[in-house]
Every structure is written in C-alpha cells, then in structure tokens.
Amino acid sequence: MDLQQFRINAHRVADWMADYLVSLPDRPVSPSLAPGAIRRQFPAAPPSTGESFEQVLADLERIVMPGMSHWQHPGWFGYFPADTSPASVLAEMMTATMGANCMSWATCPAGTETEQAMMEWLRQLIGLPATFTGVIQDTASSATLVAILCARERATGFSWSRLGASAPDAGRLTVYASREAHSSIAKGVRLAGIGEERLRLIDTDATFAMRPDALASAMAADVAAGLKPACVVATVGTTSSTALDPVPAIAELTARYGAWLHVDAAYAGSAAVLPEQHHLLQGVDRADSFVFNPHKWLFTNFDCSAYFVRDVDTLVRTCGIHPEYLKSAHDDAVVNYRDWGIPLGRRFRALKLWFVLRDFGVEGLQAKIREHIALAREFRGWVEADPAFEPMAPTPLGLVCFRHRPTELRADDPAVDELNRRLLASINSTGRALLTHTTLNGRYVLRLSVGSLALTREYLRETWELIVECAAGV
Ligand code: PLP
C-alpha cells in the first residue's frame, strides 16, 4: 500500500469506524458460535504475494466480524467496562501512525513529557495527594506485579534482586489481600518468587470488604512465626462486587509492620473524579502505590493503566537497568519511563489520555460517571421492587449484583444457583444484553455492570424487562 492508497483507505476505515459505532445497537452483543469456527476460516499459511485492501476488508466482514464481542454495545454489562470514546480512538490512530517507541526521553521527548503532564492531570483529577507521581503501565496486573516487586526489594534491603533465593530474607516474606481480591495479586506473588503459599487471603465482612481485625491477626501470627510481612494489597472496588476495603485501618497495620501498602482501584478509581466519591480515596495518602485503569471507566482505549507511587527511587531501583546502548546525554536531567516498569518498549499512550481529557473536560467525565452510578442505582431499585429478585451485595458504584429467587425457594436452596445459571444463558442468548456472573458467599450471582458510553436509560429499562421475561421462561 503506497501513501496515496493509504490516504484513500484511511478515509474508508474512518467511515467504517463511524458506521460500526452507529450500528452497534442493531448487532447481537456477543456471538454465539462453537470454538474453532473463526480460526478454521483462515488459510493455513500467509499469502505469498500482497493482497488488495478491499479483499482484506471483505474478509474482515466475512470472517472476523461474526466472531466479535461488542464491548462498546449499549447492552454490554459484562465484567467491568472497557470503554473507548471517539477522541481516544482518533488518538490511537495517530499514535499508531507515528509508531514511536517511548522507552526513554531520548527516544521520544514528547512521549515522555506528555506522559508526565497527563499523569499530573490524572492525579489532580481523582484527588490523589501531590506526594504521588504517576506512570502509565499496560494493565493493573502489571502495575500490581511492579508494586509487589518493589515491596519485595524494600523488605529485603534491595538484596533479593542481587542474591535471589539466597538473600537473607528470601523465603520469609508474606503478602496479604482479601479473599475477594483480584487474581492478579496471586499471580504477582507467584511471579515475584514469593510463592502463593505466602499469600494470606484475609476474611471479609458482610459487605465483602477486608476485615482489618483478621488482617491484624494474620500479620501478628506471621511475625510471631518469624515471617516478614512485605506487602498488603487493599482493593477499592473488588471485581466480584465492588467492595471497598477499609484503607485507613489497613494503613495503620502496614505502618505498624513496615509493610508496603498497594491500593488496587483498577475499576473504582475513575469514580474518584466525582467530589461526592472522594471518600473512595480515604487513607490512600498513606499508601506506597495506587493503581486505576482509565481503560476501564475513563473512556480511554485499552490499554492504559495509571500507576502512582510515593517513592520513585524505590521504583527505579527495582526496575531500572542501564545498558550502554540506551545511555543518552540527558539521562541525569530527564525521566526514562523504561525504568518505571517491566517492558523496555513503550507505546505513546499518553496521547489518548490527553485527547480524552480535553474532549470531555473534567465536567464531562464527571457527568458521565455520575450518570452511570445513578443508572446502576435505578436498576437496583427495580431489582428490590420485584419480589422474585434480590440484590446480593451493596451497590456503591456502577455494578449491581443480584439474582432471581422465586418466593417459594429458600435462600440456600441450590436450585436457585441452577436457575440463575440458566437465566444468565437465556439473557445472553438473546443478543440484546451480555451479563456475567460471580459467586458471593458461595452463591451464584449475576453481575450487571453499567458503564457503556452508548447506554441510555431506555436501553437499561428494556434490559430489565428482558431479564424479567427470561426469568419467567427458565
Ligand atoms: N484489579 C481489579 C480490582 C480488577 O477488577 C481487574 C480487572 O477487572 C484487575 C485488577 C486487572 O486489570 P487489568 O486487566 O488491567 O490487568
């Protein structure tokens, strides 16, 4: 494809993108097909000569689109949102066009300095104290792994990275998170070499939030056994139910034992753009690190995870590496983000954040998130008002956990789980909505996550009516 063809095709792709977004409500939210159905349509080997862009676009429609799950659909209520927005998509196209590797200041000064500016904007936007400095990571999972690595280094006097398993404190470190914490914490503990058997999963209370008394007992028992608490991960907005761990009480304990406090607010952090949600960050001023995902609920394309730390030195001592071929004249005066995370190569992710923050403005972001929270509360009200349904967890933000329970069935009847399994399959098979599930207190629960930029109140109401209709059918 030469540049003249590129220009023509780029216009066609722009039209395709706008048409796609307009068409979303008319498409089934997710495909219904057997595993392998898409793969088997690809030729076994790549083409030996180049093919026309028309052919590629035609095959996109024929092969790929029938297998797409439409995450930006107004009926997407699964998992947590992974919102994009028009401004973000346009920035991604420009990032891709420039194709810069922003691994260090010297390799792309604008990439580094835009990221510095955007991390400062984001910090202010969600009301994090000025003691925090931010960097973009690909995902919250990577950010949490980095936090655990930093905790490990600090707890071992930075000797683990030099001595490995023979470091004096190796084998003594422990990590804590609630039973409801995201699986990325267990993965991080495993990858950091601490070992999953040293991860303590702390009991939760009736709201599914970590119990600080249980954390205190676990830490005290470990210290008495000669172990060394290295890190506590508090979750603000758990994956199953958006439970809010009590960060101030947890911070008391991490201070007492000198452990690292990492706050995982992957989903809920975006809600802190609202003044009325600032309580979400209570106690976070005492954390060592904090992560939230603009790629979940801040209308910024995947991937973009905002990781904030109080002590940049520890981060750079843990992740920094200085081979000769990367040295440059200004290294003493600039930030080299390659030393602030795991990968060397880095995309210019800050550009899309800049576009999004300018396109929405603070007030635009606040209005959208406020609307989502209000819609989730309204949906919860419909659940509460119907005797054949019940909410299964608090709804502090945009997620409603609920289930169908006909009045004749007791709460602990296993038939209720089976009924809701069938209900979920029935709702999702309509193509009008996609919900996901979890278990809370061992019970099968439906999750409806409000967050699509395309969602309207009318669509949500129709979804509720659809759920009631499907429930009558199962
Ligand atoms: N932490 C929480 C609380 C989450 O809900 C999720 C994903 O939903 C993650 C971490 C992982 O996020 P990522 O996909 O950015 O690694």
Side-chain angles (χ1 to χ4, degrees), residues 80 139-141 182 184 235 237-239 264 266-267 293 295-296 302:
F80 279 139
T139 58
S141 303
H182 189 260
S184 55
T235 309
T238 57
T239 312
D264 175 2
Y267 160 75
N293 282 351
H295 72 225
K296 278 190 163 44
F302 191 82

Side-chain angles (χ1 to χ4, degrees), residues 355-368:
F355 276 36
V356 168
L357 296 176
R358 295 188 64 182
D359 182 54
F360 280 82
V362 175
E363 289 173 11
L365 293 171
Q366 289 173 334
K368 213 55 205 157

Side-chain angles (χ1 to χ4, degrees), residues 1-13 53-54:
M1 191 185 301
D2 63 26
L3 286 186
Q4 184 51 28
Q5 290 166 324
F6 171 75
R7 185 181 298 278
I8 294 165
N9 288 331
H11 282 282
R12 291 176 61 189
V13 168
F53 194 62
E54 281 74 17

